[in-house]
Amino acid sequence: MAILITGGAGYIGSVTVELLRAGGEHVVILDDLARGHSAAIPADVPFYQGNIGDGELIARIASDHDLESCIHFAALAYVGESVTEPARYFDNNVRQGIVLLDSLLQAGVRRLVFSSTCATYGEPVQIPISETHPQQPTNPYGWSKFFMERIMESYERAYGLKFVALRYFNACGATEDRGEQHDPEPHLIPNVLACAEGRLPAVSVFGNDYSTPDGTPIRDYIHVADLGQAHILALEHLRGGGESDHINLGNGQGYSVLEVIETAREVTARSIDLRFEPRRPGDPSRLVADASKARTVLGWLPAYPDLASIIRSDWKWRSGHPQGYASGE
Ligand SMILES: NC(=O)c1ccc[n+]([C@@H]2O[C@H](COP(=O)([O-])OP(=O)(O)OC[C@H]3O[C@@H](n4cnc5c(N)ncnc54)[C@H](O)[C@@H]3O)[C@@H](O)[C@H]2O)c1
């Protein structure tokens, strides 16, 4: 029996595939490669290049592989792009997401682990943010994930779907073989390290007048391998008959943008210039998880909680892959 991994050629999906395989699981990847890398897919993993909105393709994958569950990473995930292209985000993440759910149910697959996000909470009214914090997204990307959570809840009541929606905070870091490569790159740590490599002249820091100790926004950074491990635990939870749930994945500790840059300078021993720019609309000052539920429900404990080890892992991957996935894996 196999697990369908949608978005398995992407950043978090490909690392999770690596961990699942190390644990002896059989996986099948579905990815349209809009944002993923074929070089991130192991040569001996069945790969279907296509769309989660293609019901016939999903039916074919299910009949080829006897699927028992799905880990659904595939989505468009750039906040700014979602503001200018909401139709594309709701089509890709919600309409196509519904086709995926329907096709899985038709194939008898009732276990789903879903990539949700702290962006479903919107502007925090209390820190740390627990799963009971009000959800009021501030952009179409956050809404697309919010809608999928509500749809999965309805599908559970009506059709018996069992799901765990994992609400990640800021994914970062790398394994030996897989790291983060987006174009354009919206995330802080890859941009900071691109600067250390000399590929970017300076890191843009958006706003230095927030109500934080150094004036720059504070985020909760979580290592991608710890995220991957949480998906495995969520799947085991469902396989063991556990209830559907919504669970935060973060370290419960926040670092400011300036702290990230300073730590990257220490880890890389390179100079990293920065440039202050105006605040970006909708950027909250602090996003820090209350991640205690992941511990109590899933038994999840991050193995790489400190920022320096997260950045070191990414730097090591970049140093070994100077052209990223074009480096010839
Ligand atoms: N990176 C983060 O910090 C973060 C934080 C919170 C939530 N998430 C969520 O985690 C998931 C994975 O994020 P990531 O950073 O690995 O993104 P990514 O862009 O690297 O990976 C997503 C993958 O999905 C594929 N994809 C997108 N739409 C598809 C479609 N309609 N059909 C088939 N394949 C499709 C892309 O080609 C890509 O390979 C996403 O759902 C994202 O919303 C990410």
Side-chain angles (χ1 to χ4, degrees):
M1 297 199 90
I3 308 162
L4 177 64
I5 313 288
T6 74
Y11 171 44
I12 307 168
S14 65
V15 167
T16 305
V17 164
E18 188 180 315
L19 298 179
L20 283 162
R21 278 164 48 87
E25 299 277 6
H26 294 284
V27 301
V28 182
I29 292 176
L30 169 62
D31 196 302
D32 64 6
L33 296 184
R35 299 268 152 97
H37 306 275
S38 53
I41 302 173
D44 55 347
V45 166
F47 168 53
Y48 293 79
Q49 183 171 354
N51 211 270
I52 58 165
D54 183 344
E56 282 176 19
L57 174 60
I58 294 160
R60 181 152 63 85
I61 298 172
S63 84
D64 287 352
H65 295 283
D66 195 12
L67 299 179
E68 56 110 354
S69 56
C70 173
I71 306 183
H72 175 29
F73 294 99
L76 296 175
Y78 295 171
V79 167
E81 187 179 70
S82 80
V83 174
T84 52
E85 299 181 63
R88 189 171 164 212
Y89 271 67
F90 291 128
D91 178 76
N92 194 80
N93 296 359
V94 183
R95 187 191 66 75
Q96 293 190 37
I98 294 172
V99 174
L100 173 71
L101 296 187
D102 291 345
S103 309
L104 290 173
L105 289 172
Q106 271 163 25
V109 181
R110 287 192 160 65
R111 281 194 284 265
L112 184 86
V113 179
F114 176 69
S115 298
S116 190
T117 165
C118 64
T120 60
Y121 294 116
E123 187 65 42
V125 293
Q126 102 204 15
I127 296 286
I129 299 170
S130 77
E131 290 81 358
T132 55
H133 185 286
Q135 287 181 293
Q136 188 65 34
T138 54
N139 53 66
Y141 166 64
W143 281 114
S144 75
K145 297 288 184 172
F146 174 93
F147 292 144
M148 285 304 292
E149 287 191 2
R150 305 293 82 77
I151 291 163
M152 291 186 299
E153 288 160 11
S154 305
Y155 273 40
E156 173 177 31
R157 282 188 290 271
Y159 311 128
L161 176 76
K162 290 288 176 192
F163 69 92
V164 177
L166 296 171
R167 296 179 184 152
Y168 323 156
F169 283 64
N170 288 53
C172 46
T175 64
E176 292 280 327
D177 297 324
R178 289 175 181 81
E180 179 164 21
Q181 187 185 341
H182 295 117
D183 184 20
E185 181 54 72
H187 297 131
L188 178 65
I189 291 175
N191 280 315
V192 168
L193 295 182
C195 205
E197 289 174 306
R199 290 192 294 110
L200 260 188
V203 185
S204 294
V205 178
F206 299 100
N208 59 354
D209 57 352
Y210 285 93
S211 56
T212 58
D214 65 22
T216 63
I218 289 179
R219 295 291 180 267
D220 186 329
Y221 294 93
I222 179 78
H223 195 286
V224 65
D226 285 328
L227 285 182
Q229 191 55 35
H231 289 74
I232 294 171
L233 294 171
L235 194 58
E236 282 168 5
H237 167 82
L238 293 176
R239 284 173 173 165
E243 290 303 317
S244 295
D245 219 330
H246 310 80
I247 298 178
N248 284 342
L249 296 180
N251 271 311
Q253 202 183 342
Y255 295 97
S256 73
V257 174
L258 293 186
E259 283 174 320
V260 169
I261 294 171
E262 193 45 45
T263 307
R265 285 180 180 136
E266 286 162 18
V267 166
T268 63
R270 303 270 179 99
S271 69
I272 299 171
D273 291 336
L274 58 88
R275 184 176 52 224
F276 288 112
E277 302 206 27
R279 287 181 181 207
R280 289 182 302 199
D283 256 354
S285 59
R286 248 176 235 265
L287 288 174
V288 178
D290 173 345
S292 51
K293 189 172 174 184
R295 208 171 309 126
T296 52
V297 174
L298 302 179
W300 179 69
L301 208 57
Y304 311 96
D306 78 292
L307 184 61
S309 62
I310 290 173
I311 294 178
R312 199 170 296 114
S313 71
D314 192 335
W315 183 240
K316 195 170 171 206
W317 183 73
R318 268 161 227 286
S319 308
H321 303 78
Q323 309 299 319
Y325 282 111
S327 295
E329 291 92 330

